[in-house]
Each structure stands twice: as structure tokens, then as C-alpha cells.
Amino acid sequence: MIKILVSNDDGVTAPGIKALSDALSTSYQVMTVGPDRNCSGASNSLTLTNPLRINTLSNGYVSVSGTPTDCVHLAIRELYIDEPDMVVSGINAGANLGDDTLYSGTVAAAMEGRFLGLPAIAISLVGSALIHYETAAHFACKVVAGLMKEPIAQDQILNINVPDLPIEQVKGIRVTRLGARHKAEGMVRTQDPAGRDIFWLGPPGDEQDASEGTDFHAVSNGYVSVTPLTVDLTAYDQISTMQQWIDKI
């Protein structure tokens, strides 16, 4: 039976990971391994200075005292007797659109699966209420089934964003490029009870490039956005130009 590793960045007890695991379990053998706390914004970070501890919960999920990347790496290298066939990360509570993908632990978990040679997708639910996890789970299952029949390039993952709507209200699926946000708002300075300055990250910037064809545009118009992301970050089209620049310095 096809084996799927499910992970996330919102934590192993988050509603999104349960909705995803339950939906996939109807057709596949699923192992669910997630961080023991909310790790949103962890990106591709690994835990290098502390040991990782695991705890199996009453529902069979495995909790890890590490980052989303730790979870996927540990599961594939140590927890699975036989390697899984795919990594599915999510369902994230909120968007992973445009620049968000650089910081997203949800996307990073999928990338780690791809680094270890497995097809992988990341899936997020976009909206303010975050009610319709079943919609995101439905489209996750459709994409997984498609990947099983026809794999994509080995250097790519799929970043999927689903509008927070009932399934019947979703207009369809669009393949998109990443949009972009304006730069983030400034830091928020407050003080702790001892009068010392502390800082909070400000809210993300508003949409800057949300034109037709972007992930922002698709989701805001009621479509599921599927964006292929290349794991190899090399700007190959710039190598020759950069060599000429280097030769001049």
C-alpha cells in the first residue's frame, strides 16, 4: 500500500494536520509526524544544538521536539522501516502565498521531503475564519492521486493554496506563479514587566504583485492555486553574465 508521510508547521495537534491525515488515510497508509508546538515561520531550520525527542500520542501521531524540517528528516531516516512514497505538508492555518514561501515551515517540510528524494506537496487554507479544512483536504487528495499517476520533475514541489470556501463554491484549480508583497511593517516595540524593551514582528506587507497569473489572484477569485517551486535555487540564466562580472573585479 502507498505510504504517505504527513507533517506540518502548526503543530501535531493542529486541526489542519488531522483533517489532512484523516482524508489521506481513506486511500493510503499514513504516518503523521509533527512538531510538538507551533513552528510557523521556521523555514528550513534544523535543530543542531539539542537532541530531538519524540512522543507518540494517543491517536498514533508522533510529536517531535523540533522544527518541521526535523520532523520530516527524522521520520524518513529513523521512524519509517520502509521509506514513504510521498511527503504531504499541511494543512497550514493561513496562506503561504508569494514571499511567504521563503519563511514557511509548511513549505520547508515539503522541501525536505524532496531533498531526500521523495515527491512532496505543501497545502494551505487561505482566509480569515479558517473553517473549511475539508476543502483543502479534498484538493490535497486530488493532487496526491494525480502525482501518483504522473510524477512531476524531481527538482520541484507543489505549493497549494486553497480558499476557505465550501468545496462546491471553489471555481477550479489554476497553475500560478508566486506573487509578491510590499515589505513588512516595522517592528512593534513594547516593554516587559521589568521595563526592558521587547520586540514583535510587524504584520506582513500588503499585496504588491497580485496580478492575473499569481497565486494571490487565483485564491482571491475563488480558485485553488498550485505553484510549482524549484528546490534548486541556482539562477542558471545568470551564470555566464555573473562570470563576466566576476572577471572585471
Side-chain angles (χ1 to χ4, degrees), residues 100-173:
D100 303 340
T101 58
L102 297 173
Y103 307 101
S104 170
T106 300
V107 174
M111 283 190 172
E112 185 65 15
R114 178 48 83 189
F115 289 150
L116 295 177
L118 303 177
I121 67 173
I123 186 157
S124 304
L125 183 64
V126 184
S128 55
L130 299 179
I131 298 171
H132 298 288
Y133 283 100
E134 77 284 352
T135 301
H138 169 80
F139 285 101
C141 290
K142 286 179 67 70
V143 172
V144 167
L147 285 174
M148 291 298 178
K149 294 178 182 177
E150 190 169 350
I152 61 171
Q154 291 188 354
D155 64 342
Q156 294 176 9
I157 67 169
L158 297 180
N159 183 43
I160 304 167
N161 283 272
V162 180
D164 187 20
L165 298 170
I167 295 172
E168 62 274 12
Q169 292 183 22
V170 175
K171 296 179 181 178
I173 303 174

Side-chain angles (χ1 to χ4, degrees), residues 41-61:
S43 190
N44 298 80
S45 59
L46 285 166
T47 301
L48 301 178
T49 57
N50 294 296
L52 297 176
R53 302 182 186 277
I54 65 172
N55 181 37
T56 301
L57 307 183
S58 59
N59 60 1
Y61 295 1

Side-chain angles (χ1 to χ4, degrees), residues 24-245:
L24 291 171
S25 293
T26 62
S27 301
Y28 310 104
Q29 180 181 329
V30 173
M31 176 185 282
T32 303
V33 182
D36 61 2
R37 64 205 181 283
N38 191 319
C39 290
S40 296
S43 190
N44 298 80
S45 59
L46 285 166
T47 301
L48 301 178
T49 57
N50 294 296
L52 297 176
R53 302 182 186 277
I54 65 172
N55 181 37
T56 301
L57 307 183
S58 59
N59 60 1
Y61 295 1
V62 177
S63 169
V64 178
S65 62
T67 67
T69 301
D70 289 330
C71 292
V72 173
H73 194 93
L74 178 66
I76 293 173
R77 291 301 192 205
E78 292 294 332
L79 302 184
Y80 266 101
I81 296 174
D82 298 314
E83 192 172 85
D85 299 292
M86 184 180 294
V87 174
V88 183
S89 180
I91 300 165
N92 191 68
N96 276 308
L97 300 164
D99 314 58
D100 303 340
T101 58
L102 297 173
Y103 307 101
S104 170
T106 300
V107 174
M111 283 190 172
E112 185 65 15
R114 178 48 83 189
F115 289 150
L116 295 177
L118 303 177
I121 67 173
I123 186 157
S124 304
L125 183 64
V126 184
S128 55
L130 299 179
I131 298 171
H132 298 288
Y133 283 100
E134 77 284 352
T135 301
H138 169 80
F139 285 101
C141 290
K142 286 179 67 70
V143 172
V144 167
L147 285 174
M148 291 298 178
K149 294 178 182 177
E150 190 169 350
I152 61 171
Q154 291 188 354
D155 64 342
Q156 294 176 9
I157 67 169
L158 297 180
N159 183 43
I160 304 167
N161 283 272
V162 180
D164 187 20
L165 298 170
I167 295 172
E168 62 274 12
Q169 292 183 22
V170 175
K171 296 179 181 178
I173 303 174
R174 286 184 172 172
V175 178
T176 60
R177 63 178 176 85
L178 293 179
R181 295 187 187 276
H182 289 283
K183 64 181 180 180
E185 300 294 329
M187 303 291 289
V188 178
R189 182 197 296 257
T190 59
Q191 291 187 324
D192 67 13
R196 294 170 297 201
D197 286 338
I198 56 176
F199 299 88
W200 298 90
L201 285 175
D206 293 332
E207 299 167 8
Q208 181 179 37
D209 179 6
S211 57
E212 188 170 356
T214 65
D215 47 5
F216 285 108
H217 186 273
V219 172
S220 66
N221 284 277
Y223 291 88
V224 174
S225 164
V226 177
T227 306
L229 302 180
T230 303
V231 175
D232 182 354
L233 301 179
T234 306
Y236 288 100
D237 61 337
Q238 292 300 307
I239 289 177
S240 177
T241 300
M242 182 56 61
Q243 185 61 58
Q244 295 174 31
W245 183 85

